[in-house]
Amino acid sequence: MRWILGTALAASLAFSSSAWSQDCAATIEGNDALQFNLSEINVSTSCDSFSLTLKHVGTLAATVMGHNWVLTTTPDFEAVAMAGMAAGVDNNYVPPDDQRVIAATKIIGGGEETTISFDPSELTAGGAYTYFCSFPGHYAIMKGKLIVE
Ligand code: CU
């Protein structure tokens, strides 16, 4: 009886850990100190759609300490950050109709949150992807790796 219970427990742990790795959503926080709370986000190409929620846990206004979440390949990241700055606040600091932008949220301020979805099957497993905040001056610090599995 003891052995059976142990096996059932092990099976359920194995199941929950594989369910966790297939999670097709993530939440990332930005704060008033120019920080994201995650330096990596894992995405599986088996997800039909990946849902990304950005929460601004600070109190400063979007005009002062706005944050967004922009995804590009790592080689494109800095050039898109520059183009985003040039595109200005009216475009949420994201260059419009730019093929290099894989996904992007709008700019939000303290206390706000926003969610976008993108199709991970268009990404390459093992490829180099960087996410960042394109608010002017933030991208050098507010960035992380999107790991595609
Ligand atoms: Cu920012």
Side-chain angles (χ1 to χ4, degrees):
M1 193 55 180
R2 191 174 205 166
W3 180 84
I4 293 169
L5 282 173
T7 304
L9 181 63
S12 96
L13 283 175
F15 174 75
S16 61
S17 103
S18 95
W20 182 82
S21 71
Q22 296 296 308
D23 200 355
C24 297
T27 297
I28 186 168
E29 296 175 358
N31 64 21
D32 284 344
L34 277 184
Q35 292 164 326
F36 280 139
N37 70 331
L38 299 176
S39 57
E40 290 181 356
I41 294 175
N42 288 66
V43 174
S44 169
T45 54
S46 67
C47 293
D48 291 333
S49 174
F50 190 86
S51 170
L52 187 287
T53 297
L54 170 66
K55 276 190 188 175
H56 193 319
V57 296
T59 58
L60 295 173
T63 48
V64 180
M65 184 56 71
H67 299 312
N68 64 359
W69 187 93
V70 181
L71 178 65
T72 64
T73 66
T74 298
D76 284 342
F77 142 62
E78 290 194 2
V80 172
M82 294 298 160
M85 217 179 304
V89 65
D90 290 347
N91 292 304
N92 288 282
Y93 298 110
V94 174
D97 303 321
D98 190 316
Q99 297 294 320
R100 298 171 298 179
V101 177
I102 299 166
T105 71
K106 62 182 182 176
I107 293 274
I108 59 171
E112 297 178 325
E113 72 173 71
T114 184
T115 299
I116 50 158
S117 298
F118 59 94
D119 181 0
S121 70
E122 292 173 6
L123 304 177
T124 306
Y129 297 94
T130 292
Y131 61 82
F132 60 98
C133 172
S134 69
F135 191 93
H138 291 195
Y139 75 91
I141 300 161
M142 297 188 73
K143 63 181 176 181
K145 272 187 197 175
L146 191 88
I147 296 169
V148 183
E149 296 161 323

